[in-house]
Amino acid sequence: MARTALVTGGNRGIGQQVAHVLATDGWDVLIGARDKQKGAAAATRLRKDTGGRVRAIELDVTSDESVATAARVLRDGAIKIDALVNNAGVYGVARGPDGVKRTIETNFFGPLRVTLGLLPLLRDGATITNVTSGLGALENLDAAHARLLADPQLEREALVAEMRAFADGSGKGWGTDAYGVSKAALNALTRVFARELAPRGIRVNATCPGWVRTDMGGRGAPRSVEQGAASVLFGVTATATGGVFRDGRPIAP
Ligand code: NAP
């Protein structure tokens, strides 16, 4: 039986390439896209390029309603997910409180919302891959917040409260910008979910693609989209849980 993967932000960039590789390898692939037309166009492209089974699903990771609707559509189609790749992300959105909010909403609350919303559809033994960034390394944060996120006892509720306060506030005081904070918090969330979901055999890891030539990374980035996607894909079949990886090797969170 073919395995099923869902990749958020799968309509371009690293997400699209992750979907390409999985479809080529025989997975049933669902690409989440916030724009229905862009999703449908990407799915058509991927089917043509890979000869595989790729479908689009409308999914805006910043919207509870969108995630709930997607979950309902999947449930009605009796679809079970073997691999969830939380790839959708934003970088360098407009400065100021709105930019901070959007960055945290997309990069931190997005994976949280999608994971919780789709959890009933995930098979026991599934994997969750959160796409992170080296910019989220704890060494970029001020000491107090680095300690907070590194605390092995950190609970999900406390982490969520910290991120809510950061997003609602000025987005200052953590020693780095909202993007770095969003990914540092995503690494911590990865560890928390790994612990919470261990009883179901679900492995949760964060994988960093490196600096990649996409719309986000820009043309001057040193790594190809294929290299970035390969680094992310490690999480899909990883046997470890709760770690942060680049190119299949653990990196400091
Ligand atoms: P990208 O080319 O800008 O693509 C981003 C993708 O995320 C697009 O499909 C975009 O959809 C989607 N997205 C954004 N907001 C969304 C939302 N609210 N709901 C659903 N989808 C949304 O970026 P990329 O370089 O492929 O980056 C993918 C991931 O890798 C991100 O998490 C990023 O932080 C991480 N990363 C990238 C680099 C790099 O150098 N490129 C480095 C480290 C980490 P639309 O087309 O609708 O905008």
Side-chain angles (χ1 to χ4, degrees), residues 4-38:
T4 299
L6 190 150
V7 185
T8 68
N11 58 286
R12 63 187 167 101
I14 294 164
Q16 178 175 254
Q17 182 58 25
V18 166
H20 182 111
V21 173
L22 291 172
T24 304
D25 287 351
W27 288 67
D28 283 341
V29 181
L30 294 153
I31 53 168
R34 59 178 159 177
D35 181 305
K36 203 174 175 177
Q37 265 84 39
K38 282 192 203 169

Side-chain angles (χ1 to χ4, degrees), residues 8-15 32-35 38 59-63 86-91 102 106-107 131-134 179 183 207-218 221 225 232:
T8 68
N11 58 286
R12 63 187 167 101
I14 294 164
R34 59 178 159 177
D35 181 305
K38 282 192 203 169
L59 183 54
D60 180 341
V61 304
T62 62
S63 160
N86 284 312
N87 162 81
V90 290
Y91 174 75
R102 230 180 92 200
T106 310
N107 298 359
V131 182
T132 188
S133 164
Y179 183 81
K183 296 294 189 180
T207 54
C208 169
W211 183 17
V212 177
R213 289 187 294 280
T214 59
D215 294 340
M216 182 185 289
V225 75
V232 167

Side-chain angles (χ1 to χ4, degrees), residues 58-118:
E58 203 174 332
L59 183 54
D60 180 341
V61 304
T62 62
S63 160
D64 288 339
E65 198 189 329
S66 173
V67 173
T69 303
R72 206 163 43 242
V73 168
L74 295 173
R75 196 194 55 218
D76 290 351
I79 288 169
K80 290 283 182 191
I81 297 168
D82 298 283
L84 169 63
V85 182
N86 284 312
N87 162 81
V90 290
Y91 174 75
V93 289
R95 290 183 194 283
D98 277 1
V100 169
K101 214 171 227 165
R102 230 180 92 200
T103 302
I104 300 294
E105 267 306 322
T106 310
N107 298 359
F108 174 77
F109 285 107
L112 173 68
R113 185 178 285 116
V114 172
T115 299
L116 292 178
L118 300 188

Side-chain angles (χ1 to χ4, degrees), residues 1 8 25 32 62 78-79 102 104 154 167 172 185 187 224 229 233-234:
M1 193 175 59
T8 68
D25 287 351
T62 62
I79 288 169
R102 230 180 92 200
I104 300 294
L154 181 66
K172 292 196 174 19
N187 292 344
S224 68
L233 279 157
F234 174 77

